[in-house]
Amino acid sequence: MGHDTIRLSGLRLSGRHGVLDFEKQEAQPFLVDAELQVDLREAGRSDSLHDTVSYAEAADIIERIVTTDTFELIEALAETISAALLRHDRRIRAVSVTVHKPHAPLTQGFDDVAVSVHRSRAHTQQAPAVSGAEDDEASVPLRDPEQAAAFPVRSVLALGSNLGDSQTTVASAIQALEAAEGVVVISASPLARTKPVGGPANQRDYLNQVIEIETQLSPHQLLDVAQRIESEHNRAREERWGPRTLDVDIVTYAGATIDSPRLQVPHPSAAERAFVLLPWSWMDPLAILNGRGVLELAEQAADFDEVTRLSDAGEAAEE
């Protein structure tokens, strides 16, 4: 492949990134440059947006990370942007991202402070101990799911309940995750009421919610936390697809592929379950799973019509 590129220069954004307390409290100006290595020959022939990577979508991804996340180091901000762009579209072979911090707290006079990173799909650093991926795959295999992350990574979790006070249970589970050491809850989807998929007849509807977290826990450590929270909420594993007080499933972890005796990521059934995909798309309209848009996957799922978005987080699930 040649070195075709899509380049965005000087995106002007505000964010709360820095080591000092005031930098975390007061928005500062940041500029971001991003260069996406994409084979543009087909787009040049077809003149169709479907054959290229939308620079508008790339800009939206960068804006969301800069304006909603918080990092102490602009190195971590640049790393997170790079990983998100690589996850966004499998046609992106490599990215170069530069984060400028023109108001950096220096006593000396200066023109600019900036950090630049270059990441390719074959050597992505979005998760620790990641080996090279096949060139056309959106996720990468993780060698050791016991190894903690070298820096905070993103993970998507799906929660569900259809026994007891499900709304209170799901809210309590999210609070428990927020309180867990090494876990920060970044965002949460609206609540969804869903019809049971599989299992015994005459089950109650489920209440489902999807959250995104940031963590340095290893995948297996995160699984331990999820299972501990399930147990604390009286989860009993008696019947497959049977009613339960609480499910806490790991859907994604840093864009990696994990296949261990304890854990498979991405979650093996997530791409076919609207009760996961729809709330996820409400939380993050740009979300990608297995190289495809999460909303697109939801619309093709068999249970798409069985998922109802609750009007607000305070609406109770039906008994």
Side-chain angles (χ1 to χ4, degrees), residues 2-319:
H3 294 287
D4 302 341
T5 58
I6 296 172
R7 185 177 295 109
L8 297 95
S9 299
L11 288 174
R12 296 175 177 84
L13 304 165
S14 295
R16 295 174 173 83
H17 311 290
V19 175
L20 303 178
D21 288 342
F22 82 88
E23 295 180 294
K24 299 180 177 69
Q25 298 168 1
E26 302 175 10
Q28 308 288 322
F30 292 86
L31 281 79
V32 178
D33 306 324
E35 185 174 285
L36 316 179
Q37 188 179 113
V38 184
D39 188 342
L40 300 177
R41 289 173 292 185
E42 185 61 31
R45 290 189 290 265
S46 68
D47 194 25
S48 172
L49 181 60
H50 294 295
D51 294 324
T52 188
V53 175
S54 168
Y55 53 77
E57 292 180 1
D60 287 342
I61 291 170
I62 296 169
E63 179 181 28
R64 179 171 60 84
I65 293 170
V66 173
T67 60
T68 64
D69 296 350
T70 301
F71 298 95
E72 291 198 348
L73 302 179
I74 56 175
E75 290 90 334
L77 176 57
E79 192 75 48
T80 301
I81 292 171
S82 299
L85 291 171
L86 285 171
R87 290 197 304 269
H88 171 61
D89 194 311
R90 69 176 60 196
R91 292 171 296 189
I92 300 175
R93 302 303 189 188
V95 297
S96 295
V97 173
T98 300
V99 175
H100 304 263
K101 189 174 183 179
H103 290 187
L106 296 178
T107 57
Q108 299 85 356
F110 67 98
D111 291 328
D112 189 23
V113 171
V115 165
S116 298
V117 301
H118 177 82
R119 300 290 179 259
S120 66
R121 186 167 298 283
H123 300 93
T124 180
Q125 297 296 313
Q126 58 186 312
V130 170
S131 64
E134 295 298 326
D135 194 43
D136 63 348
E137 290 299 320
S139 61
V140 290
L142 194 65
R143 288 201 301 265
D144 184 4
E146 296 285 356
Q147 182 174 337
F151 55 86
V153 297
R154 294 298 183 90
S155 177
V156 173
L157 308 181
L159 296 87
S161 169
N162 76 334
L163 283 180
D165 186 346
S166 294
Q167 186 174 8
T168 298
T169 296
V170 171
S172 174
I174 293 175
Q175 290 175 353
L177 284 163
E178 289 176 329
E181 185 176 356
V183 175
V184 177
V185 176
I186 301 299
S187 56
S189 76
L191 296 167
R193 183 182 297 115
T194 68
K195 298 295 182 184
V197 176
N202 302 318
Q203 290 191 65
R204 280 176 45 190
D205 288 352
Y206 278 82
L207 191 68
N208 291 96
Q209 194 163 15
V210 172
I211 65 171
E212 185 175 29
I213 67 166
E214 191 172 81
T215 186
Q216 284 188 252
L217 298 178
S218 73
H220 281 179
Q221 288 173 329
L222 182 59
L223 178 62
D224 290 338
V225 170
Q227 291 181 343
R228 172 180 59 79
I229 292 172
E230 288 179 337
S231 178
E232 290 172 351
H233 290 79
N234 302 313
R235 166 66 188 269
R237 301 177 184 275
E238 297 176 350
E239 184 177 10
R240 189 182 186 192
W241 296 330
R244 70 285 310 270
T245 55
L246 180 65
D247 264 342
V248 181
D249 291 329
I250 300 174
V251 181
T252 67
Y253 180 94
T257 298
I258 302 166
D259 188 7
S260 78
R262 295 189 61 201
L263 180 65
Q264 289 183 292
V265 172
H267 191 284
S269 64
E272 302 169 355
R273 301 304 195 198
F275 64 79
V276 173
L277 298 164
L278 267 178
W280 186 2
S281 73
W282 301 335
M283 177 182 72
D284 182 2
L286 299 177
I288 300 293
L289 179 63
N290 299 335
R292 297 179 62 189
V294 165
L295 179 56
E296 175 191 356
L297 290 170
E299 291 170 341
Q300 296 174 2
D303 62 327
F304 177 76
D305 293 329
E306 305 297 328
V307 180
T308 302
R309 178 171 176 162
L310 300 189
S311 59
D312 58 60
E315 183 178 339
E318 289 182 353
E319 296 296 331

